Amino acid sequence: MEEKLKSIRVNNTWSLADLPQDEHAIGLKCVYKVKRDENDAIVKYKARLVAKGYVQCPSIDFEEVFAPVARLESVRLLLAIAAHFG
């Protein structure tokens, strides 16, 4: 986890901010996973820092949802269009 927190600080993907008055903070939790190879030997330990989103309320804590995910079909279509028009 120390390595993950160091990476977050080095990449400037996190900054400390003051909480507005009459607002509540959303907690964080660490999710750990063990990566193994084909022989079931431990390759590395991975950690993620995630927000406890289940305490959020729509229209109060957020207005819209954004998930940076693209379907493979969409990527293929975009590449085909780009190849067609050069």
Side-chain angles (χ1 to χ4, degrees):
M1 194 64 218
E2 291 293 328
E3 184 179 322
K4 183 67 174 179
L5 291 173
K6 181 182 174 188
S7 172
I8 289 171
R9 281 190 218 106
V10 168
N11 293 323
N12 293 322
T13 57
W14 182 86
S15 62
L16 186 61
D18 293 328
L19 188 64
Q21 195 172 21
D22 300 328
E23 296 293 330
H24 65 280
I26 296 171
L28 300 172
K29 67 179 178 179
C30 297
V31 177
Y32 300 101
K33 189 170 187 176
V34 176
K35 293 289 189 174
R36 298 179 181 268
D37 64 6
E38 62 277 354
N39 298 323
D40 208 32
I42 295 174
V43 176
K44 68 177 170 176
Y45 299 95
K46 294 191 79 172
R48 289 186 313 166
L49 189 62
V50 296
K52 294 181 180 178
Y54 55 85
V55 298
Q56 295 178 324
C57 298
S59 302
I60 296 173
D61 295 317
F62 63 91
E63 295 296 327
E64 60 185 71
V65 177
F66 174 73
V69 176
R71 292 182 51 155
L72 185 58
E73 294 85 3
S74 301
V75 174
R76 285 183 180 164
L77 177 65
L78 184 62
L79 291 174
I81 291 171
H84 178 73
F85 289 106

